Amino acid sequence: QLPLVESGGGLVQPGGSLRLSCAASGFTLDYYAIAWFRQAPGKEREGVSYIGSTAGTTNYADSVKGRFTISRDDAKNTVYLQMNSLKPEDTASYYCAACQRDYCSGLWYAGHLYDYWGQGTQVTVSS
C-alpha cells in the first residue's frame, strides 16, 4: 500500500492542459508540505513545484513558472498540480512527495529529504 497515489497523467498535445492529483492513503496531509518532482528517461530528477503545509508558501522550477499552479485541498486530503501550456519538454513521469512540518522548505527540490512518495503518473506531450 503506497502512502501517496498520483493520477491525472496522460497524452496531451502541445499547448494543452492536465491536472495531476496526489492523494494520501492512511494519513492526513494537513501537517505535510508537498512537492511534485518529475523525471524523464536519461535526465536527472527535477523538482517541479512545492506547497507548504498551510499553503502559505509555493515554489516553482523556472521552467514551469507561469504555466503550472500547485494547490491543496486538505478536506479531500489531496494536492493538485494544474499544468497549462504544456510543452514537449514537460514529458516525464511525475511524482508527488510529502515532507512533515515543512522541514524540506529550505531545500524543497531535494527529493531525499521527503518522507513519502507516490508511484508516479506519466505525462506525455506530443503532437
Side-chain angles (χ1 to χ4, degrees), residues 65-99:
K65 282 180 182 175
R67 300 189 297 119
F68 291 9
T69 303
I70 191 169
S71 62
R72 64 189 300 146
D73 185 346
D74 288 340
K76 289 197 70 172
N77 221 22
T78 302
V79 171
Y80 303 97
L81 185 67
Q82 179 66 45
M83 308 163 66
N84 298 327
S85 302
L86 283 162
K87 306 173 180 180
E89 51 261 46
D90 295 318
T91 296
S93 292
Y94 283 71
Y95 303 85
C96 65
C99 182

